[in-house]
Amino acid sequence: MSELALRAQKLDAADELAGVRAQFVLDDVVYLDGNSLGALPVAVPGRVEDVVRRQWGELRIRSWDESGWWTAPERIGDRIAPLVGAAAGQIVVGDSTSVNVFKAVVAAVRMAGPGRDEIVVDATTFPTDGYIAESAARMTGRTVRPVTPAEVPGVLGDRTAAVLLNHVDYRTGRLHDLPALTAAAHAAGAVAVWDLCHSAGALPVGLDEHGVDLAVGCTYKYLNGGPGSPAYLYVRAGLQSRFDSPLPGWNSHAEPFGMRPAYEPAQGAPRGRVGTPDILSMLALEAALDVWDGDGVSIDAVRAKSLALTDFFLECVAAYVPSGRVESLTPLAHAERGSQVALRCPDAGDVMRRLIERGVVGDFRHPDVLRFGFTPLYVGFADVERAARVLGGLLT
């Protein structure tokens, strides 16, 4: 056994989160794609069966009250809140990330007022965020200004209505400076909107601490909610009375069952709702969040292990992969790193296919990026060593 494999064993033996792995349905595959789709928590199938067979099958319409269906978007939002550094009452769960980005950007422009005609967007962002921003700009008579996150402070001014940024770059795993960029947006009088898809559940976010205005995120990555599980929308408490949703549905009405022709928004986080929530996937997500209830399972502990895992992976890659065969795009500095490692490799698509055939699952990003996501709740150090060793064998 190699020195790195022995170290991996020792690190796993000392890992305070190692026991959480048993709460997931796993096999012998090294699963390093939790930044695309998290593994299945063992509590979910039984909970979903209860929702389908008893709550829907037996109680039927009564479950909106008796099973808590109606309050699920806010209740589950309050469970996500500590994972992103938010107090209760500021997060509502529902719809997709794209829909919530649309709500947030349009609401941000409306909050900023008519004198501000520019939406600043991360030019390297996940494509959908850019598409949504362009559409929101057309609808509100604004223009979009795409820049890199590093360029954001230099372009902000009295024309800036909103700034839309990703907390972690989905390609490279670079962690952007949320506190500093939020402060810069506020100094310019703009509204800060953050996409947390690649950070929530993997590292501390500090929404309240850093005064973030609006934030959105998905729940099927590091929160393990399942394929297509509902997204969430954060509206800072002090802005909730000014949050003017572009999608005013009956679920966000102050009197949802009043069926009034005139719209009056609900108070607080519920004004971010739109239509009838997707109960099956929402309650699967609620069950998935149970893994965070154990002793010692905190976002700080997850962050510490995430950095240790990615450090160890980079060390193993350096040891096992021939020099010059791959190039890491992920920053070495902990303050600039999310919970993934992206390696540039000329034949990345074929390499990832062969990795998957050998039981190491990551993903490929066009044109030349091998992407490996590290979910500390179920990924161990032996997984990391094995993945790098298999990669090295393919590239030798």
Side-chain angles (χ1 to χ4, degrees), residues 278-308:
D278 186 341
I279 291 298
L280 299 184
S281 61
M282 188 169 295
L283 297 188
L285 165 63
E286 185 172 34
L289 293 171
D290 287 351
V291 300
W292 294 92
D293 294 341
D295 292 339
V297 185
S298 68
I299 196 65
D300 290 328
V302 164
R303 176 58 169 167
K305 183 178 175 182
S306 165
L307 292 171

PDB file of all heavy atoms in Angstrom, residues 278-308:
ATOM      1  N   ASP A 278     -44.505  22.116  -5.371  1.00  0.00           N
ATOM      2  CA  ASP A 278     -44.304  20.719  -5.772  1.00  0.00           C
ATOM      3  C   ASP A 278     -44.057  19.901  -4.507  1.00  0.00           C
ATOM      4  O   ASP A 278     -42.929  19.774  -4.033  1.00  0.00           O
ATOM      5  CB  ASP A 278     -43.110  20.630  -6.725  1.00  0.00           C
ATOM      6  CG  ASP A 278     -42.920  19.239  -7.292  1.00  0.00           C
ATOM      7  OD1 ASP A 278     -43.444  18.282  -6.703  1.00  0.00           O
ATOM      8  OD2 ASP A 278     -42.241  19.113  -8.313  1.00  0.00           O
ATOM      9  N   ILE A 279     -45.109  19.355  -3.953  1.00  0.00           N
ATOM     10  CA  ILE A 279     -45.040  18.743  -2.635  1.00  0.00           C
ATOM     11  C   ILE A 279     -44.161  17.497  -2.596  1.00  0.00           C
ATOM     12  O   ILE A 279     -43.382  17.287  -1.658  1.00  0.00           O
ATOM     13  CB  ILE A 279     -46.457  18.417  -2.112  1.00  0.00           C
ATOM     14  CG1 ILE A 279     -47.199  19.723  -1.801  1.00  0.00           C
ATOM     15  CG2 ILE A 279     -46.404  17.528  -0.881  1.00  0.00           C
ATOM     16  CD1 ILE A 279     -46.553  20.574  -0.729  1.00  0.00           C
ATOM     17  N   LEU A 280     -44.248  16.638  -3.596  1.00  0.00           N
ATOM     18  CA  LEU A 280     -43.475  15.398  -3.546  1.00  0.00           C
ATOM     19  C   LEU A 280     -41.974  15.677  -3.468  1.00  0.00           C
ATOM     20  O   LEU A 280     -41.277  15.137  -2.605  1.00  0.00           O
ATOM     21  CB  LEU A 280     -43.794  14.516  -4.753  1.00  0.00           C
ATOM     22  CG  LEU A 280     -45.242  14.043  -4.894  1.00  0.00           C
ATOM     23  CD1 LEU A 280     -45.365  13.103  -6.093  1.00  0.00           C
ATOM     24  CD2 LEU A 280     -45.718  13.346  -3.624  1.00  0.00           C
ATOM     25  N   SER A 281     -41.467  16.502  -4.354  1.00  0.00           N
ATOM     26  CA  SER A 281     -40.030  16.773  -4.333  1.00  0.00           C
ATOM     27  C   SER A 281     -39.657  17.663  -3.154  1.00  0.00           C
ATOM     28  O   SER A 281     -38.553  17.555  -2.607  1.00  0.00           O
ATOM     29  CB  SER A 281     -39.580  17.409  -5.650  1.00  0.00           C
ATOM     30  OG  SER A 281     -40.236  18.639  -5.866  1.00  0.00           O
ATOM     31  N   MET A 282     -40.565  18.533  -2.729  1.00  0.00           N
ATOM     32  CA  MET A 282     -40.265  19.407  -1.605  1.00  0.00           C
ATOM     33  C   MET A 282     -40.111  18.617  -0.307  1.00  0.00           C
ATOM     34  O   MET A 282     -39.202  18.861   0.492  1.00  0.00           O
ATOM     35  CB  MET A 282     -41.355  20.468  -1.449  1.00  0.00           C
ATOM     36  CG  MET A 282     -41.003  21.532  -0.424  1.00  0.00           C
ATOM     37  SD  MET A 282     -42.115  22.942  -0.457  1.00  0.00           S
ATOM     38  CE  MET A 282     -41.784  23.637  -2.071  1.00  0.00           C
ATOM     39  N   LEU A 283     -40.970  17.625  -0.103  1.00  0.00           N
ATOM     40  CA  LEU A 283     -40.883  16.839   1.124  1.00  0.00           C
ATOM     41  C   LEU A 283     -39.756  15.815   1.052  1.00  0.00           C
ATOM     42  O   LEU A 283     -39.227  15.401   2.091  1.00  0.00           O
ATOM     43  CB  LEU A 283     -42.223  16.183   1.434  1.00  0.00           C
ATOM     44  CG  LEU A 283     -43.371  17.178   1.696  1.00  0.00           C
ATOM     45  CD1 LEU A 283     -44.615  16.463   2.181  1.00  0.00           C
ATOM     46  CD2 LEU A 283     -42.957  18.254   2.705  1.00  0.00           C
ATOM     47  N   ALA A 284     -39.358  15.418  -0.152  1.00  0.00           N
ATOM     48  CA  ALA A 284     -38.137  14.613  -0.281  1.00  0.00           C
ATOM     49  C   ALA A 284     -36.936  15.436   0.161  1.00  0.00           C
ATOM     50  O   ALA A 284     -36.036  14.938   0.863  1.00  0.00           O
ATOM     51  CB  ALA A 284     -37.964  14.143  -1.725  1.00  0.00           C
ATOM     52  N   LEU A 285     -36.906  16.700  -0.226  1.00  0.00           N
ATOM     53  CA  LEU A 285     -35.844  17.602   0.210  1.00  0.00           C
ATOM     54  C   LEU A 285     -35.840  17.746   1.724  1.00  0.00           C
ATOM     55  O   LEU A 285     -34.781  17.719   2.360  1.00  0.00           O
ATOM     56  CB  LEU A 285     -36.019  18.974  -0.451  1.00  0.00           C
ATOM     57  CG  LEU A 285     -35.217  20.127   0.152  1.00  0.00           C
ATOM     58  CD1 LEU A 285     -33.718  19.882   0.006  1.00  0.00           C
ATOM     59  CD2 LEU A 285     -35.617  21.450  -0.506  1.00  0.00           C
ATOM     60  N   GLU A 286     -37.016  17.879   2.306  1.00  0.00           N
ATOM     61  CA  GLU A 286     -37.082  18.032   3.760  1.00  0.00           C
ATOM     62  C   GLU A 286     -36.457  16.816   4.451  1.00  0.00           C
ATOM     63  O   GLU A 286     -35.725  16.956   5.439  1.00  0.00           O
ATOM     64  CB  GLU A 286     -38.522  18.219   4.204  1.00  0.00           C
ATOM     65  CG  GLU A 286     -38.657  18.505   5.695  1.00  0.00           C
ATOM     66  CD  GLU A 286     -40.066  18.871   6.096  1.00  0.00           C
ATOM     67  OE1 GLU A 286     -41.021  18.335   5.496  1.00  0.00           O
ATOM     68  OE2 GLU A 286     -40.224  19.703   7.001  1.00  0.00           O
ATOM     69  N   ALA A 287     -36.746  15.630   3.936  1.00  0.00           N
ATOM     70  CA  ALA A 287     -36.150  14.427   4.506  1.00  0.00           C
ATOM     71  C   ALA A 287     -34.635  14.412   4.318  1.00  0.00           C
ATOM     72  O   ALA A 287     -33.883  14.000   5.211  1.00  0.00           O
ATOM     73  CB  ALA A 287     -36.768  13.184   3.872  1.00  0.00           C
ATOM     74  N   ALA A 288     -34.181  14.886   3.162  1.00  0.00           N
ATOM     75  CA  ALA A 288     -32.743  14.915   2.893  1.00  0.00           C
ATOM     76  C   ALA A 288     -32.005  15.816   3.877  1.00  0.00           C
ATOM     77  O   ALA A 288     -30.849  15.547   4.243  1.00  0.00           O
ATOM     78  CB  ALA A 288     -32.485  15.373   1.461  1.00  0.00           C
ATOM     79  N   LEU A 289     -32.651  16.873   4.316  1.00  0.00           N
ATOM     80  CA  LEU A 289     -32.009  17.811   5.230  1.00  0.00           C
ATOM     81  C   LEU A 289     -31.822  17.238   6.630  1.00  0.00           C
ATOM     82  O   LEU A 289     -31.105  17.824   7.453  1.00  0.00           O
ATOM     83  CB  LEU A 289     -32.813  19.114   5.295  1.00  0.00           C
ATOM     84  CG  LEU A 289     -32.825  19.942   4.002  1.00  0.00           C
ATOM     85  CD1 LEU A 289     -33.819  21.095   4.115  1.00  0.00           C
ATOM     86  CD2 LEU A 289     -31.436  20.469   3.671  1.00  0.00           C
ATOM     87  N   ASP A 290     -32.420  16.084   6.903  1.00  0.00           N
ATOM     88  CA  ASP A 290     -32.250  15.450   8.214  1.00  0.00           C
ATOM     89  C   ASP A 290     -30.796  15.118   8.506  1.00  0.00           C
ATOM     90  O   ASP A 290     -30.403  15.022   9.677  1.00  0.00           O
ATOM     91  CB  ASP A 290     -33.081  14.167   8.308  1.00  0.00           C
ATOM     92  CG  ASP A 290     -34.577  14.425   8.439  1.00  0.00           C
ATOM     93  OD1 ASP A 290     -34.971  15.598   8.637  1.00  0.00           O
ATOM     94  OD2 ASP A 290     -35.351  13.448   8.338  1.00  0.00           O
ATOM     95  N   VAL A 291     -29.989  14.940   7.453  1.00  0.00           N
ATOM     96  CA  VAL A 291     -28.591  14.560   7.692  1.00  0.00           C
ATOM     97  C   VAL A 291     -27.833  15.657   8.435  1.00  0.00           C
ATOM     98  O   VAL A 291     -26.794  15.386   9.047  1.00  0.00           O
ATOM     99  CB  VAL A 291     -27.857  14.213   6.374  1.00  0.00           C
ATOM    100  CG1 VAL A 291     -28.529  13.050   5.665  1.00  0.00           C
ATOM    101  CG2 VAL A 291     -27.757  15.420   5.459  1.00  0.00           C
ATOM    102  N   TRP A 292     -28.349  16.882   8.403  1.00  0.00           N
ATOM    103  CA  TRP A 292     -27.687  18.000   9.077  1.00  0.00           C
ATOM    104  C   TRP A 292     -28.036  18.081  10.557  1.00  0.00           C
ATOM    105  O   TRP A 292     -27.497  18.940  11.269  1.00  0.00           O
ATOM    106  CB  TRP A 292     -28.048  19.316   8.390  1.00  0.00           C
ATOM    107  CG  TRP A 292     -27.513  19.416   6.995  1.00  0.00           C
ATOM    108  CD1 TRP A 292     -28.132  19.056   5.848  1.00  0.00           C
ATOM    109  CD2 TRP A 292     -26.223  19.893   6.619  1.00  0.00           C
ATOM    110  NE1 TRP A 292     -27.312  19.276   4.767  1.00  0.00           N
ATOM    111  CE2 TRP A 292     -26.141  19.799   5.212  1.00  0.00           C
ATOM    112  CE3 TRP A 292     -25.131  20.408   7.324  1.00  0.00           C
ATOM    113  CZ2 TRP A 292     -25.003  20.182   4.504  1.00  0.00           C
ATOM    114  CZ3 TRP A 292     -24.000  20.794   6.626  1.00  0.00           C
ATOM    115  CH2 TRP A 292     -23.935  20.678   5.220  1.00  0.00           C
ATOM    116  N   ASP A 293     -28.914  17.209  11.021  1.00  0.00           N
ATOM    117  CA  ASP A 293     -29.381  17.287  12.408  1.00  0.00           C
ATOM    118  C   ASP A 293     -28.483  16.565  13.398  1.00  0.00           C
ATOM    119  O   ASP A 293     -28.675  16.669  14.607  1.00  0.00           O
ATOM    120  CB  ASP A 293     -30.803  16.714  12.515  1.00  0.00           C
ATOM    121  CG  ASP A 293     -31.828  17.561  11.767  1.00  0.00           C
ATOM    122  OD1 ASP A 293     -31.532  18.736  11.491  1.00  0.00           O
ATOM    123  OD2 ASP A 293     -32.908  17.024  11.461  1.00  0.00           O
ATOM    124  N   GLY A 294     -27.506  15.813  12.920  1.00  0.00           N
ATOM    125  CA  GLY A 294     -26.661  15.041  13.818  1.00  0.00           C
ATOM    126  C   GLY A 294     -25.665  15.901  14.579  1.00  0.00           C
ATOM    127  O   GLY A 294     -25.326  17.024  14.166  1.00  0.00           O
ATOM    128  N   ASP A 295     -25.186  15.386  15.690  1.00  0.00           N
ATOM    129  CA  ASP A 295     -24.178  16.087  16.487  1.00  0.00           C
ATOM    130  C   ASP A 295     -22.900  16.278  15.670  1.00  0.00           C
ATOM    131  O   ASP A 295     -22.393  15.343  15.042  1.00  0.00           O
ATOM    132  CB  ASP A 295     -23.856  15.288  17.751  1.00  0.00           C
ATOM    133  CG  ASP A 295     -25.029  15.251  18.721  1.00  0.00           C
ATOM    134  OD1 ASP A 295     -25.895  16.134  18.622  1.00  0.00           O
ATOM    135  OD2 ASP A 295     -25.064  14.337  19.565  1.00  0.00           O
ATOM    136  N   GLY A 296     -22.403  17.486  15.695  1.00  0.00           N
ATOM    137  CA  GLY A 296     -21.144  17.775  15.010  1.00  0.00           C
ATOM    138  C   GLY A 296     -21.260  18.013  13.528  1.00  0.00           C
ATOM    139  O   GLY A 296     -20.255  18.295  12.860  1.00  0.00           O
ATOM    140  N   VAL A 297     -22.487  17.896  12.974  1.00  0.00           N
ATOM    141  CA  VAL A 297     -22.672  18.121  11.532  1.00  0.00           C
ATOM    142  C   VAL A 297     -23.012  19.595  11.333  1.00  0.00           C
ATOM    143  O   VAL A 297     -24.171  19.995  11.321  1.00  0.00           O
ATOM    144  CB  VAL A 297     -23.780  17.224  10.957  1.00  0.00           C
ATOM    145  CG1 VAL A 297     -23.862  17.405   9.445  1.00  0.00           C
ATOM    146  CG2 VAL A 297     -23.507  15.767  11.289  1.00  0.00           C
ATOM    147  N   SER A 298     -21.991  20.389  11.210  1.00  0.00           N
ATOM    148  CA  SER A 298     -22.164  21.827  11.033  1.00  0.00           C
ATOM    149  C   SER A 298     -21.535  22.257   9.725  1.00  0.00           C
ATOM    150  O   SER A 298     -20.688  21.553   9.167  1.00  0.00           O
ATOM    151  CB  SER A 298     -21.506  22.594  12.182  1.00  0.00           C
ATOM    152  OG  SER A 298     -20.091  22.462  12.115  1.00  0.00           O
ATOM    153  N   ILE A 299     -21.927  23.420   9.258  1.00  0.00           N
ATOM    154  CA  ILE A 299     -21.360  23.904   8.006  1.00  0.00           C
ATOM    155  C   ILE A 299     -19.875  24.222   8.172  1.00  0.00           C
ATOM    156  O   ILE A 299     -19.083  24.070   7.233  1.00  0.00           O
ATOM    157  CB  ILE A 299     -22.146  25.129   7.475  1.00  0.00           C
ATOM    158  CG1 ILE A 299     -21.811  25.391   6.009  1.00  0.00           C
ATOM    159  CG2 ILE A 299     -21.905  26.351   8.333  1.00  0.00           C
ATOM    160  CD1 ILE A 299     -22.251  24.295   5.068  1.00  0.00           C
ATOM    161  N   ASP A 300     -19.452  24.593   9.377  1.00  0.00           N
ATOM    162  CA  ASP A 300     -18.030  24.843   9.612  1.00  0.00           C
ATOM    163  C   ASP A 300     -17.226  23.548   9.552  1.00  0.00           C
ATOM    164  O   ASP A 300     -16.119  23.521   9.005  1.00  0.00           O
ATOM    165  CB  ASP A 300     -17.838  25.530  10.964  1.00  0.00           C
ATOM    166  CG  ASP A 300     -18.349  26.965  10.973  1.00  0.00           C
ATOM    167  OD1 ASP A 300     -18.274  27.626   9.918  1.00  0.00           O
ATOM    168  OD2 ASP A 300     -18.836  27.415  12.022  1.00  0.00           O
ATOM    169  N   ALA A 301     -17.781  22.473  10.127  1.00  0.00           N
ATOM    170  CA  ALA A 301     -17.097  21.180  10.065  1.00  0.00           C
ATOM    171  C   ALA A 301     -17.014  20.682   8.628  1.00  0.00           C
ATOM    172  O   ALA A 301     -15.998  20.115   8.202  1.00  0.00           O
ATOM    173  CB  ALA A 301     -17.824  20.161  10.941  1.00  0.00           C
ATOM    174  N   VAL A 302     -18.084  20.893   7.874  1.00  0.00           N
ATOM    175  CA  VAL A 302     -18.099  20.493   6.464  1.00  0.00           C
ATOM    176  C   VAL A 302     -17.054  21.275   5.677  1.00  0.00           C
ATOM    177  O   VAL A 302     -16.322  20.711   4.849  1.00  0.00           O
ATOM    178  CB  VAL A 302     -19.512  20.700   5.876  1.00  0.00           C
ATOM    179  CG1 VAL A 302     -19.479  20.678   4.358  1.00  0.00           C
ATOM    180  CG2 VAL A 302     -20.455  19.621   6.395  1.00  0.00           C
ATOM    181  N   ARG A 303     -16.950  22.559   5.950  1.00  0.00           N
ATOM    182  CA  ARG A 303     -15.959  23.381   5.251  1.00  0.00           C
ATOM    183  C   ARG A 303     -14.538  22.915   5.564  1.00  0.00           C
ATOM    184  O   ARG A 303     -13.697  22.817   4.659  1.00  0.00           O
ATOM    185  CB  ARG A 303     -16.127  24.848   5.630  1.00  0.00           C
ATOM    186  CG  ARG A 303     -15.089  25.800   5.041  1.00  0.00           C
ATOM    187  CD  ARG A 303     -15.068  25.753   3.522  1.00  0.00           C
ATOM    188  NE  ARG A 303     -14.261  26.829   2.955  1.00  0.00           N
ATOM    189  CZ  ARG A 303     -13.864  26.883   1.691  1.00  0.00           C
ATOM    190  NH1 ARG A 303     -14.186  25.907   0.855  1.00  0.00           N
ATOM    191  NH2 ARG A 303     -13.159  27.901   1.245  1.00  0.00           N
ATOM    192  N   ALA A 304     -14.264  22.636   6.824  1.00  0.00           N
ATOM    193  CA  ALA A 304     -12.918  22.184   7.191  1.00  0.00           C
ATOM    194  C   ALA A 304     -12.565  20.892   6.465  1.00  0.00           C
ATOM    195  O   ALA A 304     -11.447  20.736   5.947  1.00  0.00           O
ATOM    196  CB  ALA A 304     -12.833  22.001   8.703  1.00  0.00           C
ATOM    197  N   LYS A 305     -13.513  19.956   6.410  1.00  0.00           N
ATOM    198  CA  LYS A 305     -13.234  18.699   5.721  1.00  0.00           C
ATOM    199  C   LYS A 305     -13.129  18.913   4.219  1.00  0.00           C
ATOM    200  O   LYS A 305     -12.288  18.276   3.549  1.00  0.00           O
ATOM    201  CB  LYS A 305     -14.309  17.668   6.039  1.00  0.00           C
ATOM    202  CG  LYS A 305     -14.020  16.309   5.399  1.00  0.00           C
ATOM    203  CD  LYS A 305     -15.053  15.254   5.752  1.00  0.00           C
ATOM    204  CE  LYS A 305     -14.793  13.951   4.999  1.00  0.00           C
ATOM    205  NZ  LYS A 305     -15.831  12.921   5.290  1.00  0.00           N
ATOM    206  N   SER A 306     -13.950  19.789   3.672  1.00  0.00           N
ATOM    207  CA  SER A 306     -13.891  20.072   2.235  1.00  0.00           C
ATOM    208  C   SER A 306     -12.500  20.545   1.832  1.00  0.00           C
ATOM    209  O   SER A 306     -11.925  20.077   0.837  1.00  0.00           O
ATOM    210  CB  SER A 306     -14.934  21.134   1.875  1.00  0.00           C
ATOM    211  OG  SER A 306     -14.684  21.683   0.600  1.00  0.00           O
ATOM    212  N   LEU A 307     -11.949  21.473   2.598  1.00  0.00           N
ATOM    213  CA  LEU A 307     -10.617  21.979   2.276  1.00  0.00           C
ATOM    214  C   LEU A 307      -9.563  20.891   2.430  1.00  0.00           C
ATOM    215  O   LEU A 307      -8.629  20.793   1.624  1.00  0.00           O
ATOM    216  CB  LEU A 307     -10.288  23.177   3.158  1.00  0.00           C
ATOM    217  CG  LEU A 307     -11.126  24.431   2.887  1.00  0.00           C
ATOM    218  CD1 LEU A 307     -10.867  25.483   3.951  1.00  0.00           C
ATOM    219  CD2 LEU A 307     -10.823  24.991   1.494  1.00  0.00           C
ATOM    220  N   ALA A 308      -9.713  20.047   3.448  1.00  0.00           N
ATOM    221  CA  ALA A 308      -8.768  18.946   3.630  1.00  0.00           C
ATOM    222  C   ALA A 308      -8.852  17.948   2.479  1.00  0.00           C
ATOM    223  O   ALA A 308      -7.830  17.447   1.992  1.00  0.00           O
ATOM    224  CB  ALA A 308      -9.030  18.250   4.963  1.00  0.00           C
TER     225      ALA A 308
END
